[in-house]
């Protein structure tokens, strides 16, 4: 098999040269390229960079600059895991990223963005399984005591923050390239200059309650504008990522409530089971409070709430608490937010990942637990001021 490797023209009319390589020689070249790009010490793409790119060409430029070195860095990051080449899930993630790196390096760049669009659409589809694969792999390494919890937490944080920034970048590209707009024309890519957080929370609640496991718990959403005019809350933000965070917090609250309900005959629970969402805003920030009466987090587990906690379906016991990551219930607790993997050993990544997303978006996520009562989750975000198609946004760099 022979491949034609072409030098990319800097502009229309520039002469291009072609180099013919065999598959084996091309793979050697790509391995050398990965090592070279990994040495560039890629940092997560700053959100301000993503949001300041408002045209397809601007986002494409960022993608071509950042994605190859980020994929190369993540490939080498995978190879830091002990026995990584013996774990099938890590091998699969390694292959996915290697293929994406190769595709990015081979795609023809220029004024015509269709080749790049096809590559980005393909890699976004193939990358969807990465978090699930990593959760399974790290859970296996943890359960076999090959890596410790502290190492797993730091390793996953580093990997997932980097992935988060490039995922947002590619999502922004696809949105801008498609000319995605709503009826009001306020959307550009992943940014909605008139994002209504109350509406986002209501839609997130409706989405979560479509799950049969969550449909038995009511969710109430209220919005309050703390300004003199009492106008509807609107701010420039990224609604799809706000929705992801709110859905994760709601799932935790609902599952904790259901789990607490199953113990009601033993503890005499007569509290209102409604999960309540309150959205409030002033001129500087938007805050969201999500409250449940699901029994709270056990004090002994409070320090591990942000850890990628190992959990199991195999351990049973009436003494499992609502915050116990080893609990027996089919519904997970606040300390174990990831469900649906179909694994006997798994890793809770939903809650710590939500915190990473929140901080990357320049916000904060805090939990207040009353043991035996419930949990209040507080999300706070500064307003983004959109100016001339760009965004003045102070976010985590």
């Amino acid at each position: 098999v022979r491949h034609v490797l072409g030098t990319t023209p800097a502009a229309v009319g520039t002469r291009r040269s072609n180099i013919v390589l065999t598959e084996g020689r091309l793979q050697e070249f790509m391995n050398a390229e990965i090592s070279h790009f990994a040495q560039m010490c890629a940092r997560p793409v700053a959100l301000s960079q993503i949001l300041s790119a408002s045209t397809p060409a601007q986002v494409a430029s960022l993608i071509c600059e950042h994605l190859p070195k980020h994929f190369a860095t993540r490939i080498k990051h995978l190879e830091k895991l002990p026995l990584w080449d013996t774990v099938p899930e890590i091998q699969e993630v390694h292959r996915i990223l290697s293929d994406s790196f190769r595709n990015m390096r081979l795609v023809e760049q220029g004024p015509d963005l269709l080749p790049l669009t096809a590559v980005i659409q393909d890699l976004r589809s193939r990358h969807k399984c990465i978090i699930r694969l990593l959760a399974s792999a790290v859970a296996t390494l943890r359960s076999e005591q090959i890596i410790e919890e502290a190492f797993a937490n730091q390793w996953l944080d580093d990997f997932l923050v980097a992935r988060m920034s490039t995922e947002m970048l590619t999502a922004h590209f696809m949105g801008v390239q498609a000319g995605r707009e709503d009826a009001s024309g306020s959307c550009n890519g992943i940014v909605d200059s008139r994002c209504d957080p109350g509406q986002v929370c209501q839609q997130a609640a409706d989405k979560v309650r479509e799950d049969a496991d969550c449909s038995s718990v009511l969710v109430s959403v209220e919005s309050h504008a703390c300004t003199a005019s009492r106008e509807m809350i609107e701010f420039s933000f990224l609604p799809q990522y706000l929705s992801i965070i709110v859905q994760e917090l709601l799932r935790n609250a609902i599952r904790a409530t259901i789990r607490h309900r199953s113990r009601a005959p033993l503890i005499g629970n007569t509290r209102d089971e409604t999960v309540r969402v309150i959205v409030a805003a002033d001129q500087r920030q938007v805050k969201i409070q999500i409250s449940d009466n699901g029994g709270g987090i056990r004090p002994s587990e409070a320090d591990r709430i942000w850890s990628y906690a190992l959990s199991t379906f195999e351990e049973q016991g009436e003494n499992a608490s609502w915050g116990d990551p080893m609990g027996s219930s089919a519904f997970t607790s606040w300390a174990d937010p990831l469900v649906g993997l179909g694994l006997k050993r798994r890793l809770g990544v939903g809650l710590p990942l939500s915190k990473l997303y929140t901080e990357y978006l320049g916000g904060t996520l805090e939990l207040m637990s009353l043991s035996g009562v419930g949990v209040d989750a507080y999300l706070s975000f500064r307003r983004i001021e959109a100016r001339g198609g760009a965004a003045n946004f102070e976010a985590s760099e």
Side-chain angles (χ1 to χ4, degrees):
V1 179
R2 292 180 177 269
H3 297 269
V4 177
L5 186 62
T7 58
T8 301
V12 177
T14 300
R15 178 180 294 181
R16 57 177 296 177
S17 59
N18 295 327
I19 303 173
V20 180
L21 298 177
T22 65
E23 174 63 27
R25 186 71 183 92
L26 179 61
Q27 190 57 51
E28 291 178 5
F29 176 75
M30 286 299 162
N31 290 339
E33 286 263 281
I34 288 171
S35 297
H36 171 70
F37 276 83
Q39 293 175 1
M40 295 182 181
C41 301
R43 297 181 60 191
V45 185
L47 184 58
S48 57
Q49 288 181 280
I50 299 174
L51 300 186
S52 64
S54 57
T55 68
Q58 289 173 341
V59 188
S61 178
L62 277 179
I63 282 177
C64 294
E65 176 187 354
H66 288 283
L67 255 62
K69 60 186 178 182
H70 273 277
F71 290 158
T73 301
R74 260 173 267 171
I75 289 167
K76 294 301 181 182
H77 193 64
L78 288 170
E79 294 172 1
K80 292 180 181 178
L81 278 175
L83 305 178
W84 73 270
D85 53 351
T86 67
V87 182
E89 294 89 346
I90 296 296
Q91 290 176 311
E92 177 64 12
V93 175
H94 193 280
R95 184 192 63 77
I96 291 171
L97 291 174
S98 297
D99 287 348
S100 295
F101 176 88
R102 172 175 169 150
N103 293 342
M104 282 299 305
R105 293 297 292 149
L106 294 179
V107 67
E108 183 174 348
Q109 300 176 29
D112 182 5
L113 296 180
L114 289 180
L116 179 62
T117 301
V119 168
I120 298 303
Q121 190 171 23
D122 170 69
L123 73 82
R124 283 184 58 81
S125 176
R126 290 185 297 102
H127 285 212
K128 287 180 179 179
C129 63
I130 284 180
I131 291 181
R132 175 179 59 82
L133 291 169
L134 287 181
S136 174
V138 175
T140 298
L141 294 174
R142 282 282 316 280
S143 65
E144 295 177 0
Q145 299 183 340
I146 295 174
I147 60 175
E148 296 182 352
E149 182 176 346
F151 176 89
N153 286 342
Q154 188 60 57
W155 188 92
L156 282 168
D157 274 355
D158 292 343
F159 189 101
L160 293 174
V161 168
R163 180 187 182 276
M164 186 184 309
S165 66
T166 53
E167 192 279 330
M168 285 190 184
L169 179 57
T170 57
H172 191 48
F173 174 76
M174 295 304 295
V176 172
Q177 178 73 339
R180 183 182 302 155
E181 290 188 357
D182 58 6
S184 66
S186 63
C187 293
N188 183 35
I190 59 175
V191 183
D192 184 353
S193 62
R194 298 182 61 186
C195 173
D196 179 351
Q199 184 181 58
V200 172
C201 289
Q202 184 61 63
Q203 291 172 346
D206 294 341
K207 177 70 173 178
V208 169
R209 294 191 72 245
E210 289 177 1
D211 187 340
D213 292 338
C214 299
S215 61
S216 65
V217 176
L218 295 178
V219 179
S220 168
V221 179
E222 303 175 24
S223 291
H224 302 276
C226 304
T227 59
S229 61
R230 298 288 178 180
E231 73 278 6
M232 182 173 62
I233 301 174
E234 290 181 342
F235 73 136
S236 186
F237 207 67
L238 288 67
Q240 71 188 78
Y241 295 98
L242 177 59
S243 179
I244 289 171
I245 297 166
V246 172
Q247 286 182 50
E248 186 59 47
L249 296 175
L250 285 174
R251 286 193 181 93
N252 279 279
I254 290 173
R255 289 172 187 139
T257 299
I258 294 173
R259 184 165 185 163
H260 198 40
R261 177 196 298 164
S262 68
R263 294 172 57 89
L266 301 177
I267 61 177
N269 178 38
T270 57
R271 293 190 184 94
D272 181 8
E273 291 188 343
T274 303
V275 172
R276 302 190 182 280
V277 181
I278 299 177
V279 183
D282 56 26
Q283 297 298 332
R284 298 182 59 189
Q285 60 185 345
V286 173
K287 292 198 171 188
I288 300 171
Q289 175 185 356
I290 300 175
S291 305
D292 68 70
N293 288 312
I297 302 165
R298 194 168 67 178
S300 61
E301 295 296 334
D303 292 340
R304 300 184 63 207
I305 198 67
W306 303 115
S307 175
Y308 300 94
L310 184 66
S311 66
T312 178
F313 290 128
E314 297 169 330
E315 300 194 20
Q316 305 281 331
E318 295 182 359
N319 294 325
S321 79
W322 305 283
D324 185 352
M326 295 297 190
S328 61
S329 173
F331 300 103
T332 55
S333 71
W334 273 96
D336 180 22
L338 189 67
V339 296
L341 295 185
L343 307 169
K344 288 191 174 181
R345 283 224 172 264
R346 50 186 195 150
L347 211 66
V349 302
L351 192 55
L353 185 57
S354 295
K355 187 175 179 67
L356 288 180
Y357 265 110
T358 302
E359 292 174 349
Y360 184 75
L361 293 170
T364 60
L365 170 57
E366 300 173 316
L367 302 181
M368 180 177 293
S369 172
L370 292 178
S371 185
V373 179
V375 172
D376 292 321
Y378 296 94
L379 282 167
S380 298
F381 295 101
R382 291 187 295 274
R383 289 178 179 268
I384 303 174
E385 296 298 333
R387 297 175 182 172
N392 178 25
F393 185 63
E394 297 178 9
S396 174
E397 298 292 329

